[in-house]
């Protein structure tokens, strides 16, 4: 049965543009400011390319980001509603951004203007390609003929199993974002210590471990997946990276060899997330027993 509703997410999902097109998603671009100029973060990098972004912050330019605003949501959603379609929003973690709150305000306003249309919003408590993986799986459910309410209910339950594990190459970006104190960042950098971080059930970043060196950090990510993953051979795994594709390929080889993973989707960590993690971030996303 044809399900006439649109799945809408935001660009912090970091899905590659070809997958956005294939799944028929609507994506709200979030914004960042770099070098005094504001850019919209589209999945295809039309306003600022991902490699260009990372090159510029490596050279010392500071980037700041902005949450989605109500007007942006309304501008994207209203044409969809006018076409007679309903909308399911799967939104960036409320633990990391006010984007979800803006989504709720937009839903409230548009529900009054379009009383015959249905709008449902989910706080994914996810980020980057963890959010992307949840959206991807939700779109597959829609393609199977699931109703908007069924997919919403599935997403509310599944988000607690969406595991986000990552490491960063430069601790100073986390320090600037208030995730590490200055002393820890300086000592860790001097000793080659790489943090192991995940996003917890409340959608917040939590520093849960450390590894010595880059290879040790990638191994630690795979160790976490070996401990937590549900059916790694039968479900897709997503990997994102901050302009370090070779490390992402290494991580892909590791999960395939060690855990028998068959399907891997790899993409950039986009500028909105990358402004806070810096170049060299590598992240692994999969369905697990719990976060």
């Amino acid at each position: 049965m044809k399900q006439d509703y649109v799945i809408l997410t935001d660009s912090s999902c970091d899905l590659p543009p070809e997958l956005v097109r294939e799944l028929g998603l609507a994506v709200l671009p979030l914004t960042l400011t770099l070098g005094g100029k504001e850019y919209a973060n589209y999945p295809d990098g039309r306003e600022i390319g991902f490699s260009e972004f990372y090159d510029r912050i490596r050279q010392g330019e500071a980037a700041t980001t902005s949450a989605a605003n109500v007007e942006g949501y309304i501008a994207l959603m209203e044409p969809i509603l006018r076409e007679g379609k309903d909308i399911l929003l799967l939104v960036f973690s409320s633990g990391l951004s006010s984007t979800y709150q803006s989504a709720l305000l937009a839903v409230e306003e548009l529900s009054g203007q379009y009383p015959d249309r249905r709008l449902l919003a989910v706080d994914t408590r996810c980020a980057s390609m963890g959010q992307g993986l949840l959206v991807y799986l939700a779109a597959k459910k829609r393609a199977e003929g699931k109703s908007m309410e069924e997919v919403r209910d599935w997403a509310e339950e599944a988000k607690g199993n969406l595991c986000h594990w990552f490491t960063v190459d430069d601790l100073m970006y986390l320090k600037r974002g208030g995730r590490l104190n200055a002393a820890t960042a300086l000592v860790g950098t001097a000793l080659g210590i790489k943090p192991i971080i995940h996003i917890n059930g409340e959608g917040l970043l939590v520093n849960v471990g450390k590894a010595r060196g880059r290879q040790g950090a990638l191994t630690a990510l795979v160790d976490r997946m070996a401990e937590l993953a549900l059916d790694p051979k039968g479900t897709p795994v997503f990997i994102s990276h901050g302009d370090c594709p070779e490390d992402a390929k290494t991580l892909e080889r590791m999960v395939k060899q060690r855990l028998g993973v068959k399907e891997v989707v790899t993409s950039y960590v986009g500028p909105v997330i990358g402004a806070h993690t810096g170049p060299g971030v590598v992240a692994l996303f999969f369905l697990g027993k719990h976060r």
Side-chain angles (χ1 to χ4, degrees), residues 177-199:
R179 304 299 177 188
L180 285 177
N181 65 45
T184 299
L186 287 168
V187 171
T189 299
L191 296 177
I193 298 298
K194 308 299 181 185
I196 307 301
I197 302 165
H198 87 130
I199 294 182

Side-chain angles (χ1 to χ4, degrees), residues 21 100 102 129 138 142 158 167 193 210 212 226 241 244 272 285:
R21 289 191 296 270
Y100 177 64
S102 295
M129 286 188 81
R142 179 188 180 279
T167 187
I193 298 298
K210 57 188 177 183
R212 181 65 65 89
H241 66 90
C244 50
V272 168
F285 309 97

Side-chain angles (χ1 to χ4, degrees), residues 91-97 123-128 130-131 134 156-166 179 196-208 224 228 284-286 289-291:
V91 185
F92 186 24
S93 172
S94 64
L96 297 171
S97 170
D123 175 5
T124 67
R125 307 286 176 92
C126 295
S128 190
Q131 179 181 338
L134 191 72
E156 288 285 7
E157 183 173 354
K159 70 186 185 184
N161 301 96
L162 209 306
C163 298
H164 303 56
W165 290 94
F166 67 99
R179 304 299 177 188
I196 307 301
I197 302 165
H198 87 130
I199 294 182
N200 67 12
E202 286 70 51
L204 299 168
L205 292 180
V206 181
N207 188 1
V208 294
R224 297 291 187 170
L228 293 170
L284 180 61
F285 309 97
F286 55 91
K289 301 168 193 173
H290 55 77
R291 287 215 185 179

Side-chain angles (χ1 to χ4, degrees), residues 46-184:
R46 71 187 71 167
E47 291 201 1
I48 182 166
F50 302 140
S51 291
E52 177 195 346
F53 166 75
Y54 283 107
D55 284 344
R56 289 174 64 176
I57 63 172
R58 283 188 186 103
Q59 292 164 14
E61 288 191 60
T64 58
T65 60
S66 303
N69 59 42
V70 175
E71 293 74 21
Y73 270 114
I74 290 174
L76 181 59
M77 293 163 66
E78 204 161 14
I80 298 170
L81 298 173
R82 286 187 190 132
E83 291 176 6
K85 296 179 180 178
D86 301 322
I87 303 174
L88 173 62
L89 298 92
L90 300 174
V91 185
F92 186 24
S93 172
S94 64
L96 297 171
S97 170
S98 61
T99 293
Y100 177 64
Q101 186 60 36
S102 295
L104 292 182
L105 292 171
V107 164
E108 181 180 5
E109 181 169 337
L110 290 172
S111 293
Q113 296 177 29
Y114 297 87
D116 295 333
R117 299 269 55 85
R118 294 173 301 148
L119 298 98
L120 301 175
V122 175
D123 175 5
T124 67
R125 307 286 176 92
C126 295
S128 190
M129 286 188 81
Q131 179 181 338
L133 179 53
L134 191 72
V135 170
Y136 171 88
L137 294 172
K140 294 295 185 182
K141 296 287 183 186
R142 179 188 180 279
E144 293 168 5
K146 301 293 185 185
S147 70
M148 188 165 74
E149 288 79 8
E150 287 174 321
V151 176
R152 185 270 314 274
D153 293 346
W154 172 86
E156 288 285 7
E157 183 173 354
K159 70 186 185 184
N161 301 96
L162 209 306
C163 298
H164 303 56
W165 290 94
F166 67 99
T167 187
V168 299
D169 198 42
D170 185 342
L171 296 172
M172 291 306 176
Y173 289 93
L174 289 173
K175 179 190 78 70
R176 290 174 201 141
R179 304 299 177 188
L180 285 177
N181 65 45
T184 299

